[in-house]
Amino acid sequence: MAVTPTDDLLERLKDLVYAKLYGAEHAKLDFAMTLTKARNSLNLTQKSLADKLGISQPYVARLEGGEVNPTLGTIGSLLAVLGYRLVTQTAPLSPEPISPAIEFMGAADVGAYILYKAAEIPYREEQYAYIALTAVESMNDLVPGRKADYPSRVAVAGGTV
Amino acid sequence: MWQVDYYTRPTGRKPAKDWIEDKDNNSIRPNIDAKIQTLIREGPLLRDNRMLRPIEERRRRQRGRSRVIHGFFELTGKNWRIAVYHDLKKDMFLLFWGWRKTRQSEEREVERAIRLLEEYKSRQEE
């Protein structure tokens, strides 16, 4: 089986020293992307954002490139000027490898897979069943002549649609 | 999520993987890994903050004129670059080659990355 960059990373993360360094870089890049998306949502250029924040454009570029390490207070101030606040949450450090079941799934099987996953989860049945039915309908639209549905699986999913 | 993989040469070598795992790059490897994972999560959005920049092939004989190679980018770090190709047909990113950024090395390394890309493209046509 081919070794991907994620496989290599998972191997390296077994080393705690490496994991700490990776975690620091990951956090900086996470904020970089958050700031970029916040700027895009307001249709601002890096220059106009810099003017709004009272900082230089090159510093915005470095923030968005994940090259600087702003304090939490600085992050809070930057986002406040844009009308946002920082929301923090934790997630597993290790990226999840792509499941082969998904990787090799044909497009026409996606609806059935969603139904299968929905049946595994006893919560929010209606929403999952609705999502699954929508996916099946979308597949029918995409694949000429395809008119599949999954009534028995929908019943398993507990949906009322 | 975007699929990101190493380019594998006909010999079985993966030049980008070999470069990332070179012991000289121990200190920048966490940054490289984090950026590759960001590419996996965000894909072409990295162009918006120039973490992903188009690679230009400079033509020495044409007095510095350059040509942009469609879909060919450099993933950028503070002092490193990795050549990345966005294969639209396969809807995936391929990592070709990496280098430390210095003024002297840049042109030579870009040429090497372009040669690898041409090798990849010629194999796709076969």
Side-chain angles (χ1 to χ4, degrees):
Chain A
M1 192 177 155
V3 175
T4 66
T6 298
D7 295 328
D8 284 336
L9 172 63
L10 289 170
E11 194 58 36
R12 286 196 271 274
L13 286 177
K14 291 175 184 170
D15 175 355
L16 195 59
V17 176
Y18 188 86
K20 284 165 70 178
L21 294 168
Y22 172 79
E25 295 299 330
H26 195 287
K28 283 189 271 183
L29 288 172
D30 256 6
F31 173 65
M33 293 311 301
T34 300
L35 185 61
T36 302
K37 288 172 185 173
R39 176 172 65 78
N40 281 346
S41 72
L42 298 171
N43 290 322
L44 295 173
T45 62
Q46 285 188 346
K47 178 74 174 73
S48 53
L49 174 62
D51 292 344
K52 225 172 157 62
L53 298 171
I55 57 179
S56 69
Q57 183 273 326
Y59 186 66
V60 172
R62 290 175 64 211
L63 279 168
E64 291 193 1
E67 292 173 12
V68 285
N69 199 4
T71 63
L72 277 174
T74 304
I75 291 171
S77 303
L78 294 175
L79 293 178
V81 172
L82 297 173
Y84 293 109
R85 67 183 172 86
L86 181 67
V87 176
T88 58
Q89 62 179 43
T90 58
L93 182 63
S94 300
E96 285 183 27
I98 296 172
S99 156
I102 298 172
E103 196 175 356
F104 300 113
M105 185 184 294
D109 298 326
V110 171
Y113 178 76
I114 294 171
L115 281 165
Y116 170 73
K117 295 304 285 183
E120 288 183 339
I121 302 168
Y123 311 108
R124 303 176 66 187
E125 294 92 347
E126 288 184 16
Q127 289 93 330
Y128 276 101
Y130 175 75
I131 292 167
L133 271 182
T134 308
V136 170
E137 285 165 9
S138 301
M139 286 300 137
N140 287 340
D141 291 341
L142 285 172
V143 183
R146 179 184 156 84
K147 286 292 169 202
D149 56 18
Y150 301 88
S152 58
R153 294 283 184 91
V154 172
V156 173
T160 56
V161 183
Chain B
M1 298 285 270
W2 293 79
Q3 192 182 348
V4 177
D5 213 339
Y6 303 114
Y7 166 60
T8 308
R9 299 195 69 187
T11 56
R13 302 292 303 245
K14 298 172 192 282
K17 177 178 162 71
D18 292 345
W19 180 78
I20 291 167
E21 292 180 349
D22 189 302
K23 63 177 170 40
D24 288 346
N25 294 329
N26 282 353
S27 62
I28 57 172
R29 202 170 298 135
N31 182 241
I32 294 171
D33 275 338
K35 229 154 224 185
I36 291 173
Q37 290 304 314
T38 307
L39 178 63
I40 290 171
R41 284 197 312 278
E42 309 285 356
L45 192 63
L46 266 59
R47 293 187 68 176
D48 288 1
N49 52 19
R50 294 181 56 76
M51 283 190 207
L52 208 56
R53 300 176 194 170
I55 285 184
E56 292 185 354
E57 180 187 26
R58 290 187 179 78
R59 294 172 171 178
R60 287 182 200 164
R61 290 175 191 170
Q62 294 181 23
R63 296 186 180 180
R65 287 173 74 179
S66 59
R67 158 179 90 102
V68 173
I69 303 169
H70 186 69
F72 206 32
F73 301 98
E74 53 184 19
L75 186 64
T76 64
K78 194 174 180 183
N79 55 356
W80 58 266
R81 301 285 185 265
I82 292 180
V84 178
Y85 180 59
H86 186 190
D87 189 327
L88 290 170
K89 283 182 188 166
K90 295 183 178 174
D91 202 17
M92 69 183 294
F93 289 92
L94 280 168
L95 309 178
F96 276 85
W97 176 241
W99 62 93
R100 289 275 193 158
K101 187 172 161 47
T102 64
R103 203 168 286 175
Q104 293 78 24
S105 70
E106 190 88 289
E107 200 165 321
R108 190 177 64 241
E109 305 291 3
V110 167
E111 280 175 9
R112 182 169 181 171
I114 290 170
R115 278 202 302 276
L116 289 168
L117 176 65
E118 285 167 354
E119 181 183 87
Y120 169 71
K121 283 184 172 174
S122 67
R123 289 169 67 197
Q124 298 303 301
E125 288 164 7
E126 284 171 7

